[in-house]
Amino acid sequence: MKSDIDRLMRERELDALIVTGGEEFNTARYYLSNGARITHGSIFKSLGKPALLVCNRMELEEAAKSGLDVLTDVELGYYDRYKEAEGDSIRATVLHWSDVLLRLGLSAGRIGLYGAWQVNKTIALYEALKAGLAQYEFVVEAENTLIEEAMLTKDAEEIVRLKSVARRANAVMQIAWDFIAGLRRAGDYLVDDDGGRITIGDIKDLVRTELMARGLEDTDMIFAQGRDAGFPHSRGEADMPLQVGQAIVFDLFPRELGGGYHHDMTRTWCIGYAPSEIRETYDTVMQAFDISVEAFGLNKPTHLMQEAVLDYFEKAGHPTTRSHPSTMAGYVHSLGHGVGIDIHERPSISHLRRDDICQIGNILTIEPGLYYPERGFGLRIEDLFVVDEKGELVSLTPFRKDLVIPLKDDGGAAQ
């Protein structure tokens, strides 16, 4: 949580941290600025003191909404430094940061660097900082960064926002279900009132419209049918017509409009009916889902949940990434991951990562699946959960887990 920042700085022996970046969405800057809608600016925080947000003068009002102490780059003399650097923006930034650090009372020390920027500019700035400000040690964490560690557990305000996104995402999933259920069947296909075939692109357009109406945005949803569903991250082909009796993996992971907190949920549907092979495999995945939930325990390592699912799938005869590490069929991914401002955060629920534990304030997915592309299908079920203040695992995804969407007006032959 954000309240852990000073503790984490002490543990990592950091005297200060700087979060910077360009105009790209910047998870660390968004997080520490409490969601301020800025496209420029850096955050400076020294140990035990409030953070300072240094912004472009055009974004002063937006920056003020962060609740942080705010100063503009003009007030801090950046443009004088820019002139001194003869228009070299990297050199000007080094001089400017020196001014800010001295203003914070730091004439030397270890400083953690965080944020997101173009890789070439990031490298250039880092090299210039090392050369120009040798009195400071600039620390770059490659794994388990301070920001990632803080984001691992969510505070009450964050959980309220995540629950709100969850309610809206579940409502849109219901709209998609109802729309499909109301379609007319013509042979193996679904058609509109004029007889035109409904495509995956039509469903995605509907979902995007409904998300936008609820203050959410699509982040490249998965709606994959048939063989495509057998590849976990195949998005689905927009021009592919919807067909009855084929497995559809619908993975919806929207976020607050313009960047913010996500929800993550997956359902597998067959329209009209489900062939026996798909139904039997689906029942296996649902059993794995229940097993993983039962394996949860507060303060227990997350990998135990994954290993319970691996044991079950392997006993049932399905290849996994543990039994067959290079497999392209069967169970080919980890059980889940954390969710927040980023769609993939810690904790990881994998047999390959053994240092994460289940903690109060975790927001995490559970998403077992089985994939057989050469047999023409893939299946996945995913809920998003919060580990609540009682240490219990509570789903934020109450949407039904029915496999078959029954058609209200089936104009084709009975199956």
Side-chain angles (χ1 to χ4, degrees), residues 372-389:
Y372 290 101
E374 300 315 313
R375 288 154 62 181
F377 69 89
L379 310 168
R380 181 165 69 254
I381 291 294
E382 176 186 25
D383 278 9
L384 188 67
F385 291 85
V386 57
V387 182
D388 70 8
E389 65 278 0

Side-chain angles (χ1 to χ4, degrees), residues 233 264 337-340 342-346 367:
H233 282 183
D264 196 0
H337 54 87
V339 172
D342 288 331
I343 189 59
H344 291 98
E345 297 183 358
R346 290 178 56 208
E367 47 181 308

Side-chain angles (χ1 to χ4, degrees), residues 33-34 36 51 53 62-70:
S33 68
N34 302 311
L53 174 54
E62 291 297 327
K65 296 175 185 177
S66 68
L68 305 180
D69 295 335
V70 177

Side-chain angles (χ1 to χ4, degrees), residues 137-150:
E137 179 186 355
F138 292 96
V139 178
V140 178
E141 298 178 306
E143 296 284 346
N144 299 336
T145 73
L146 181 149
I147 301 297
E148 291 170 344
E149 188 75 22

Side-chain angles (χ1 to χ4, degrees), residues 27-165:
T27 298
R29 187 168 61 195
Y30 184 94
Y31 181 65
L32 287 188
S33 68
N34 302 311
R37 301 291 183 173
I38 56 174
T39 57
H40 298 81
S42 298
I43 297 171
F44 297 78
K45 176 175 167 41
S46 55
L47 182 61
K49 296 181 181 178
L52 170 66
L53 174 54
V54 179
C55 69
N56 184 291
R57 70 187 115 181
M58 294 186 293
E59 298 187 329
L60 179 58
E61 281 298 299
E62 291 297 327
K65 296 175 185 177
S66 68
L68 305 180
D69 295 335
V70 177
L71 290 172
T72 67
D73 50 12
V74 173
E75 292 175 282
L76 291 167
Y78 170 77
Y79 292 97
D80 294 330
R81 289 300 203 177
Y82 186 77
K83 183 177 179 181
E84 179 183 342
E86 299 178 331
D88 182 333
S89 60
I90 295 293
R91 185 179 167 217
T93 297
V94 171
L95 296 171
H96 171 58
W97 283 14
S98 175
D99 294 339
V100 177
L101 290 169
L102 288 172
R103 185 185 183 99
L104 295 177
L106 285 171
S107 57
R110 283 169 48 87
I111 301 172
L113 296 179
Y114 308 93
W117 206 17
Q118 297 174 39
V119 65
N120 58 311
K121 293 183 177 179
T122 301
I123 293 171
L125 176 59
Y126 180 61
E127 293 297 330
L129 287 168
K130 289 194 297 180
L133 299 179
Q135 66 271 39
Y136 301 103
E137 179 186 355
F138 292 96
V139 178
V140 178
E141 298 178 306
E143 296 284 346
N144 299 336
T145 73
L146 181 149
I147 301 297
E148 291 170 344
E149 188 75 22
M151 291 169 59
L152 199 154
T153 54
K154 275 59 177 178
D155 62 25
E157 181 180 341
E158 291 177 286
I159 290 172
V160 167
R161 289 177 65 175
L162 283 152
K163 287 181 175 180
S164 174
V165 176

Side-chain angles (χ1 to χ4, degrees), residues 343-354:
I343 189 59
H344 291 98
E345 297 183 358
R346 290 178 56 208
S348 172
I349 309 179
S350 169
H351 61 290
L352 300 177
R353 178 155 191 163
R354 310 183 74 80

